[in-house]
Amino acid sequence: MKYLYLPAFFLSVLCAIFLAACAEKADEPATPESAVTAGATPATALAAAPATPETGTGSVTAETAAGHCTLYMDFTAGSEVPDVRPVELDCTVPPGELSQALTETTGIPFAFTLEHNGDRWTVKWQKDSALWNHDMPQGNPEYVFYDDDLMHWFLMDTVWCTLKEAYGATEVSYRSADGGSLKMESLWPLEHFDLSQPYRGSSWYYAKSIAYRDKWSLLEQSGQP
């Protein structure tokens, strides 16, 4: 009769062992998802981490400026009302190719080189530039000047305006080919201003020239030297 109860005894023992194992498993803390990420290999951790956006410096460089393809033809020539005519190109114009792009578009030999330090640009006008001669190029009918002063204004204003609008320049200085201060002769009203300072645009010089002449007229009328 005791043999009939032997299997039941072993069955009870097995059930007790199974219940103890389940209780021990339930007492183990669950592993949080963040801990899995923290314990991942370097490659896995980099893949799981969110991308960090790059922060730009905000300064204009030759690489970013190369994306611009607009030239700003400035016909203001001392007028109080700006006359700027944008010309869209179907190609990019890096700073080193700006002189060539302006020359090919207008038929006028601009002939200058560029240097820049951040947003401060220096333009060196070369000896073969139309800025130094009195010839009137007749290549493109849209850019024909019958007065050399108007053409010289056009050259300086166009480069100045294009560098400011297309390349983000805040300061543009003009120099001769050897790096010396720019000196223009018989270009009214520049005889009253020092072009060794950053260029300001022909309308600004014109306004200063008028104020200069008015001041001297008043002095002459009052008998003051």
Side-chain angles (χ1 to χ4, degrees):
M1 206 51 196
K2 63 180 178 182
Y3 293 103
L4 296 176
Y5 292 102
L6 184 61
F9 172 77
F10 281 108
L11 181 61
S12 301
V13 173
L14 290 176
C15 290
I17 294 174
F18 177 78
L19 293 175
C22 291
E24 181 180 359
K25 184 67 176 180
D27 292 336
E28 291 180 4
T31 303
E33 185 177 350
S34 59
V36 175
T37 303
T41 61
T44 307
L46 288 175
T52 302
E54 296 181 358
T55 303
T57 60
S59 61
V60 176
T61 65
E63 289 74 19
T64 57
H68 294 278
C69 56
T70 303
L71 305 178
Y72 292 83
M73 305 302 180
D74 195 332
F75 293 84
T76 302
S79 172
E80 296 180 358
V81 180
D83 184 4
V84 180
R85 308 171 193 178
V87 175
E88 299 290 338
L89 302 182
D90 57 358
C91 61
T92 59
V93 182
E97 300 177 9
L98 178 58
S99 177
Q100 179 181 354
L102 289 169
T103 298
E104 293 178 352
T105 302
T106 64
I108 301 173
F110 275 73
F112 61 81
T113 60
L114 287 173
E115 298 175 0
H116 75 96
N117 182 9
D119 55 3
R120 297 182 178 181
W121 294 71
T122 299
V123 180
K124 292 184 178 180
W125 297 91
Q126 303 303 301
K127 295 181 179 180
D128 55 344
S129 172
L131 188 67
W132 306 116
N133 60 54
H134 301 283
D135 296 333
M136 300 292 105
Q138 304 294 325
N140 188 328
E142 296 182 6
Y143 302 97
V144 174
F145 298 91
Y146 299 100
D147 180 275
D148 56 357
D149 283 1
L150 294 178
M151 183 183 69
H152 295 160
W153 278 126
F154 172 76
L155 291 170
M156 293 191 293
D157 281 348
T158 294
V159 174
W160 170 73
C161 189
T162 298
L163 288 176
K164 287 173 63 68
E165 297 297 330
Y167 295 83
T170 60
E171 183 178 294
V172 178
S173 298
Y174 287 154
R175 297 287 184 269
S176 58
D178 60 2
S181 298
L182 187 66
K183 296 180 180 179
M184 300 296 297
E185 297 180 358
S186 302
L187 181 58
W188 187 89
L190 290 184
E191 62 266 21
H192 301 310
F193 300 98
D194 181 10
L195 284 180
S196 64
Q197 301 299 315
Y199 192 71
R200 303 292 293 272
S202 64
S203 60
W204 186 87
Y205 291 109
Y206 179 81
K208 290 296 181 180
S209 178
I210 295 300
Y212 177 89
R213 289 171 180 261
D214 291 344
K215 176 181 178 180
W216 279 100
S217 296
L218 292 175
L219 291 176
E220 289 177 356
Q221 294 174 9
S222 63
Q224 300 182 28

